[in-house]
Amino acid sequence: MSLADGDLRPVGADGTPHPRGAGGDLHPRGAGGDLHPNGAAGDLPPDVLRASFHRAADLVADYLETVGSRPVLPRVAPGAFAATIPAAPPESAEPLDRILADYRTLVEPAVTHWNHPGFFAYFAISGSGPGIAGEMLAAGLNVNAMLWRTGPAPTELEERVCDWLRALMGLPEEFRGHINDTASIGTFLALAAARHRARPDVRELGSAGRADLPAMVVYASEHAHSSVDKAVLALGLGLANLRRIPADAAHRLRPEALAAAVTADRAAGRLPVAVVATAGTTSSTSVDPLREVAEIAGRERLWLHVDAAYAGSAAVCPEMRPLFAGVGSADTIVVNPHKWLFTPVDCSVLFARDPAGLREAFTLVPEYLRTADAGVTNLMDYGIQLGRRFRALKLWMVIRAYGAEGLRSRIRTHCALAREFAGWIEEHPGFELAAPVPFSVVCFRAICGTSDEERDRFNERLLEAVNAAGPVFLSHTRLGGRVVLRLAIGNIRTGRAHVAGAWEIVRARAAELARAGGTAWTSPA
């Protein structure tokens, strides 16, 4: 094969290109070398595919090697990218080398680079090399592991790799996991199982128009993720029956407020069903008091779901596990390896202490999916999805490629960098921390202005100025009603130089904005 200068045309044994025209004719050929007519059945020739796969691998490797030199946010206006794509699909086949060239020149410059070491927004994620390789291999296999029979290795590897993750996190042995796309689906499935346990008749009778069915209530912290709201919506429970429980000064759910809310709902004739505790809230990464919440859930017969989508990965470090004390009492736990275990999106594990609860809520086997396989797991029985990608392969490769100690060392490094950044904030008189830093996210704000409203506006402008610089991307939230900035460290390629660079940009832009606005602020040292 000749890959020089990006040429994807296959070459013969003598090194001369096949006569496929200047653009590289990619029409499939028959066994005798004759071209099939355009549109005939069959994929592109193996030699052409092989060359394109090699070129795609080079593009990925080149991208990962150079992504840090690009601006994190693309320099594009809304609609600008769409304008580069024809409105109508091509009538005739196009060569893959041209398509890959367009990918490189059109698509790559117009994406937000989540794999950038300066991506500090939301929860920083990264697709590591081993995970990307696993994703490519899974795409090649193109398995739908809905049944054991339709994917023996994918099904059994999913069970095994989830058990690996359970052991790495120090969870009790009775927990069993399966992989979904996101934590939003995991939370939905957990609350559906909670509803089924509380009122199994809803499976057959539904809930609409039933005078015999009390309102079913779900509880969560005021800082719980919006996926809880969406699950309540999708399950037909109604937002009016989601209780947002007040948090304490450290942004953790207050157990006494939870207990009082449950008592009030029972007195009003409602049916408390579940509580969602968060281990690593989206805004501040605070951990709800899991042990106390679990005690209330046990006493009140509530399903306890723990959203550990971000912070759960930190439990692979034994010294972090005291932060999760009580998590083993949960009915279900969701954790996202695609957030902080360097696995490409999407890969979210839902652990269940008793998987039968999920299966009872969701199993439904039409005749065309019945098999004679005994004693096997059919993953379709544990959720609403029938089609299931081979997500376990990339997680398996990541865990093997880095090992438990390699994963721990990277998470420890991220947490240490966050503590160092928080120390810089605390030492500077022009900034303040807005929340504790238990993991790798730092919430802070500039102290510039004479009122909270002025400081909010200043921090909003500061965020825009920092992100406009190019090398870093931060996000924001509100804590205590005030605008705060968030720096989230989680990319596998992020090092101290990137964090220090972000701090330099934040200080410089704050000083510039203060001077331009004539606002009182302490200039950086």
Side-chain angles (χ1 to χ4, degrees):
M1 299 300 215
S2 173
L3 297 178
D5 301 322
D7 185 2
L8 299 184
R9 289 175 292 167
V11 298
D14 60 356
T16 59
H18 285 305
R20 301 209 172 189
D25 187 355
L26 297 182
H27 293 301
R29 292 177 179 269
D34 56 304
L35 284 172
H36 286 304
N38 190 23
D43 204 345
L44 302 180
D47 52 359
V48 173
L49 293 177
R50 186 179 301 275
S52 69
F53 293 158
H54 280 297
R55 180 59 179 151
D58 284 340
L59 286 170
V60 172
D62 290 345
Y63 173 75
L64 295 178
E65 185 178 8
T66 63
V67 64
S69 65
R70 308 168 189 236
V72 185
L73 295 173
R75 309 299 198 194
V76 295
F81 172 76
T84 68
I85 308 299
E91 187 64 32
S92 301
E94 297 184 60
L96 280 176
D97 53 355
R98 184 187 307 161
I99 299 169
L100 290 172
D102 284 347
Y103 159 81
R104 185 179 64 250
T105 59
L106 298 179
V107 176
E108 276 190 6
V111 301
T112 297
H113 298 294
W114 287 72
N115 259 343
H116 196 293
F119 189 106
F120 296 115
Y122 311 113
F123 285 125
I125 62 174
S126 55
S128 64
I132 293 170
E135 190 77 270
M136 294 167 64
L137 294 172
L141 291 173
N142 196 36
V143 171
N144 179 358
M146 55 187 180
L147 303 168
W148 177 88
R149 175 166 291 189
T150 65
T155 298
E156 294 183 16
L157 185 60
E158 184 163 325
E159 291 181 294
R160 181 55 54 87
V161 80
C162 288
D163 200 46
W164 281 8
L165 181 59
R166 176 202 58 74
L168 284 170
M169 294 175 61
L171 295 175
E173 291 186 3
E174 60 263 31
F175 278 94
R176 291 294 177 265
H178 72 276
I179 302 177
N180 300 294
D181 53 359
T182 64
S184 295
I185 290 298
T187 295
F188 171 85
L189 299 180
L191 292 181
R195 183 186 66 177
H196 180 77
R197 187 174 74 177
R199 289 298 299 253
D201 58 337
V202 170
R203 177 181 167 102
E204 294 297 327
L205 302 178
S207 57
R210 292 181 56 183
D212 65 317
L213 185 66
M216 291 181 279
V217 185
V218 173
Y219 306 85
S221 161
E222 61 178 302
H223 295 291
H225 192 267
S226 60
S227 59
V228 180
D229 303 67
K230 287 194 174 184
V232 167
L233 282 171
L235 289 167
L237 302 179
L239 287 176
N241 295 310
L242 172 60
R243 301 284 179 266
R244 287 287 189 168
I245 305 302
D248 61 18
H251 315 297
R252 301 170 301 187
L253 178 149
R254 289 169 45 208
E256 71 279 7
L258 169 64
V262 174
T263 299
D265 280 321
R266 289 201 189 280
R270 303 183 187 95
L271 177 59
V273 168
V275 55
V276 179
T278 307
T281 55
T282 305
S283 289
S284 68
T285 72
S286 295
V287 178
D288 290 337
L290 302 179
R291 179 171 285 133
E292 291 89 339
V293 173
E295 290 173 357
I296 295 170
R299 183 173 68 245
E300 296 290 347
R301 304 181 304 284
L302 303 178
W303 185 287
L304 173 56
H305 175 62
V306 175
D307 177 359
Y310 156 70
S313 296
V316 305
C317 301
E319 70 273 16
M320 293 281 196
R321 290 177 193 164
L323 292 171
F324 303 95
V327 70
S329 298
D331 292 284
T332 45
I333 306 164
V334 67
V335 59
N336 287 358
H338 71 224
K339 276 192 170 70
W340 206 8
L341 277 184
F342 321 118
T343 305
V345 171
D346 50 21
C347 184
S348 177
V349 176
L350 178 64
F351 289 106
R353 188 150 46 90
D354 180 10
L358 284 170
R359 194 177 186 280
E360 290 167 4
F362 289 107
T363 187
L364 180 69
V365 186
E367 185 60 37
Y368 50 80
L369 293 177
R370 294 187 187 278
T371 72
D373 302 315
V376 300
T377 295
N378 293 318
L379 291 170
M380 71 172 190
D381 290 336
Y382 296 90
I384 60 173
Q385 308 97 321
L386 187 57
R388 298 188 62 85
R389 296 197 301 115
F390 192 1
R391 296 184 179 94
L393 186 62
K394 56 190 174 184
L395 180 57
W396 179 64
M397 291 183 67
V398 167
I399 294 175
R400 290 188 64 187
Y402 296 111
E405 192 50 49
L407 296 174
R408 293 182 189 120
S409 67
R410 286 163 174 81
I411 288 176
R412 286 167 177 154
T413 295
H414 291 167
C415 292
L417 289 172
R419 289 193 297 269
E420 186 171 16
F421 186 90
W424 296 336
I425 294 292
E426 289 182 303
E427 292 170 1
H428 196 294
F431 290 92
E432 65 180 357
L433 285 178
V437 185
F439 302 108
S440 67
V441 174
V442 183
C443 295
F444 66 100
R445 68 195 310 247
I447 308 171
C448 189
T450 58
S451 67
D452 284 333
E453 290 72 20
E454 285 183 0
R455 291 177 179 177
D456 283 349
R457 289 192 293 271
F458 184 88
N459 280 281
E460 289 169 347
R461 293 195 300 272
L462 176 58
L463 180 65
E464 293 179 5
V466 167
N467 289 340
V472 300
F473 178 32
L474 277 63
S475 58
H476 82 287
T477 190
R478 281 185 178 268
L479 292 174
R482 305 271 65 92
V483 174
V484 302
L485 309 189
R486 293 173 75 261
L487 181 131
I489 303 169
N491 191 289
I492 197 169
R493 299 168 189 88
T494 298
R496 187 179 187 278
H498 303 104
V499 178
W503 176 229
E504 182 179 351
I505 292 171
V506 168
R507 288 185 302 160
R509 295 298 179 268
E512 292 169 2
L513 289 173
R515 286 195 298 268
T519 310
W521 188 70
T522 303
S523 297

